[in-house]
Amino acid sequence: MSTLVVALSLGLGGAAQAADLTTTAAPQAETVPSFSWTGLYFGAHAGHAWSDFTSEPTDVYGGVDLDGFFGGGQAGFNYQFDNRLVLGIEADLSFLHRDDAIDQGFGDEDGRVEFGYRTRIDNFGTVRGRVGYAAGRVLPYVTGGLAWADAEMSFRQTLTVGGTVFRDASATDKQTFTGWTLGAGLEYAVTNNLTARIEYLHADLGSRTFDIGSPNRADLSFDTVRLGLNYKF
């Protein structure tokens, strides 16, 4: 009888230990979510523009220099697919406020004619698509779309005889250039919400005619390199 009691006790004890082993779960490792480029964003940028503004009256006298630094802002949306392809759309606005003038004259104090041309670019912008490949927090991409720029051109002429101004005429016209832009960039996610980028764009904005007493056709294109910061939602 005692032998039977001991056997039952050992059997029950072993079963309880087995139950404890099967019900005790190993601790689960915490899963860290991978970064995704999907989401809305907005930010700011600054860079340098190399402009090519050509027109017949200004080119005769060496042309104008409209290169300079600019700054502005951008907003857009990205969507990242499971295969790491990233598609996006972005709009930006940049402020340049760069002008240049050509002043010429001939004659002497008995009779002198002076004239000049002034050209100015105030701002420019783009609306572009973006295609990139997400390598974790690094996003190389190409981009292209529409571009525009606001420009102003003016002409002034004075005629002076014996110190007296007999004629002082001027005319100013503003035009908006429109065209296309293509470029590429590299963006890096510093945190889950903050990204930094460097980007190059070339824009060809075609021709416009300025009415400054007589019609003057002008062509505009430019290249830009910019650095930017974005906040991603």
Side-chain angles (χ1 to χ4, degrees):
M1 182 67 178
S2 60
T3 301
L4 179 60
V5 171
V6 171
L8 288 174
S9 298
L10 291 174
L12 291 174
Q17 291 178 357
D20 290 341
L21 290 175
T22 57
T23 57
T24 302
Q28 295 285 334
E30 184 178 354
T31 302
V32 178
S34 59
F35 178 78
S36 173
W37 288 92
T38 298
L40 290 166
Y41 64 86
F42 71 91
H45 63 261
H48 192 275
W50 293 267
S51 304
D52 184 14
F53 183 95
T54 60
S55 69
E56 184 175 348
T58 58
D59 291 349
V60 171
Y61 301 102
V64 293
D65 179 9
L66 299 176
D67 299 349
F69 291 95
F70 65 89
Q74 69 273 348
F77 176 79
N78 291 321
Y79 185 82
Q80 180 175 334
F81 294 87
D82 293 337
N83 60 0
R84 299 184 181 180
L85 177 69
V86 177
L87 298 181
I89 187 170
E90 177 176 302
D92 63 64
L93 175 62
S94 302
F95 301 94
L96 181 61
H97 299 312
R98 183 73 171 89
D99 63 5
D100 194 15
I102 294 174
D103 295 308
Q104 297 290 323
F106 57 89
D108 54 27
E109 59 183 12
D110 294 329
R112 182 169 179 82
V113 175
E114 296 181 343
F115 61 93
Y117 296 91
R118 182 173 295 276
T119 307
R120 177 183 178 91
I121 297 179
D122 286 319
N123 47 63
F124 61 91
T126 70
V127 178
R128 296 175 282 121
R130 300 205 309 166
V131 180
Y133 181 80
R137 292 181 174 271
V138 179
L139 179 67
Y141 63 89
V142 294
T143 180
L146 303 176
W148 58 270
D150 287 333
E152 179 180 296
M153 192 174 185
S154 61
F155 173 75
R156 182 173 183 176
Q157 183 185 64
T158 61
L159 170 61
T160 305
V161 178
T164 302
V165 177
F166 280 87
R167 175 180 172 82
D168 187 352
S170 62
T172 301
D173 191 17
K174 295 182 178 181
Q175 295 289 331
T176 298
F177 288 82
T178 57
W180 56 267
T181 181
L182 288 174
L186 185 67
E187 193 162 1
Y188 177 72
V190 182
T191 69
N192 287 343
N193 299 108
L194 182 67
T195 69
R197 69 163 68 162
I198 183 171
E199 183 178 78
Y200 163 78
L201 291 177
H202 171 76
D204 188 332
L205 301 183
S207 302
R208 285 293 181 271
T209 299
F210 292 84
D211 184 5
I212 50 176
S214 61
N216 287 276
R217 176 176 170 174
D219 300 304
L220 176 62
S221 63
F222 58 81
D223 296 272
T224 64
V225 173
R226 67 183 75 186
L227 299 175
L229 288 175
N230 289 319
Y231 183 85
K232 185 179 80 69
F233 294 94

